Structures are given as C-alpha cells and as structure tokens.
Amino acid sequence: MLQIRDAVLGDLPAMLAIYNYAVENLVATFDLEPQTLAQREVWFHKHGDRHPIIVAEYEGKVIGYCSLSVFREKPAYQKSTELSIYIAPDQSGKGVGTTLMNAILERARQLEYHTIVSGIVGGNDASVKLHEKFGFTLAGKFQEVGFKFEEWHDVHFYQWMVK
C-alpha cells in the first residue's frame, strides 16, 4: 500500500537517486550536474513546517516526493509557494503523482497559502496533465530560458489558487 508521509533525512539517498535521474535524463530540472548528498542536505534543511517535503513510500521504498518551497524571498510573497514533484522513473503512470499532489495541496490549505506556482518545462505533457487535473491553469510562459541537452527550453508557469 502506498503511504504518504513527511520526508526525513534518512529518505535523502532515495530522493537523491530520483532527482539525479531527472538531472541526467530529463529537462524536468535545469540542474546540469548530478547533485551530491551534501547538496541535497542543504536543500532539505531549507524546508520545514512552512515548506514541507513529503514522500510516497511503497513497500518500504521511497518512490516519489513533492515539496513546497519559497516562491520569492520578499515578505509580500509569504502566502505564495512553489511546488515541485518527482517520481521514480519506474513508477510513472501508477498514480503516485496524483496521490502526492492530493496530499501536498491539502497541506497548502492547512498552511493557509493563497496560491501555488509550478514551473513546467515545455513538452512535459505528463506534468501538465497532472497539474491540470487538480485545477492548475497556465499563467504564462518564459521562452527559451533554459539550455539543456544542447537545446533551449521554455518554462510554462501553472498556478493554483488555494481555497
């Protein structure tokens, strides 16, 4: 059975493997080099009660994770947050993303956020479908802002108003 829970430091190696797969094979992240465990520990500690990281665990193994992060540093943005979601490549299409999204949106409500923003690289249809399934709408597009795998990529920003 799939379990959703708050991430703990011990989850970082599994989360790192999922993330580094995306770094090396996908344009879902614009990191160009695999991250180290130390780098991900710094990332992990930037989160907390106000910016949770949750994991999807199946049979004792972390198979996906989702986080809310600071959207912008200035104080007027404190009721806005940015969502990221990563699923292990062998778990795609099995409902893990949907389950994580349900859980993180509920957390956003509990934390009294006003809006959530997600940046989705052009062509990532699975991520677009997942976000639209939950009512995210396209707010705008930045053209050719990321250069990865020898080509330019657009980033589409999707937004969800917390109710």
Side-chain angles (χ1 to χ4, degrees):
M1 182 170 160
L2 190 63
Q3 177 187 359
I4 304 298
R5 61 172 174 76
D6 286 342
V8 297
L9 270 175
D11 296 325
L12 275 180
M15 293 166 59
L16 177 65
I18 292 167
Y19 187 74
N20 279 342
Y21 176 86
V23 170
E24 294 175 322
N25 298 283
L26 308 172
V27 291
T29 175
F30 283 169
D31 274 322
L32 300 175
E33 299 293 328
Q35 297 280 289
T36 66
L37 192 55
Q39 287 171 309
R40 291 315 269 181
E41 282 183 28
V42 170
W43 167 83
F44 183 88
H45 289 299
K46 288 181 181 177
H47 292 78
D49 292 339
R50 185 92 183 119
H51 298 98
I53 304 170
I54 60 174
V55 297
E57 183 180 67
Y58 183 73
E59 296 181 349
K61 180 180 176 188
V62 171
I63 59 171
Y65 68 93
C66 189
S67 65
L68 297 179
S69 302
V70 173
F71 173 65
R72 297 282 186 272
E73 294 291 333
K74 297 191 177 178
Y77 290 113
Q78 69 182 339
K79 291 287 190 173
S80 300
T81 189
E82 186 167 0
L83 181 146
S84 296
I85 187 166
Y86 291 91
I87 310 300
D90 63 340
Q91 298 300 314
S92 181
K94 296 182 179 180
V96 177
T98 297
T99 305
L100 280 168
M101 188 72 88
N102 268 321
I104 205 72
L105 295 182
E106 181 55 34
R107 287 291 283 279
R109 282 186 196 93
Q110 293 168 0
L111 291 166
E112 299 180 351
Y113 278 109
H114 179 69
T115 190
I116 300 174
V117 174
S118 285
I120 303 173
V121 175
N124 188 345
D125 295 336
S127 188
V128 169
K129 284 177 76 173
L130 176 64
H131 283 76
E132 288 179 342
K133 176 179 181 176
F134 285 91
F136 281 75
T137 57
L138 180 64
K141 174 176 81 167
F142 290 159
Q143 294 181 308
E144 298 184 3
V145 292
F147 190 77
K148 187 171 182 180
F149 302 137
E150 300 302 317
E151 61 184 324
W152 287 103
H153 300 278
D154 300 342
V155 176
H156 301 235
F157 287 91
Y158 281 76
Q159 185 174 13
W160 185 73
M161 304 307 291
V162 180
K163 296 175 177 122

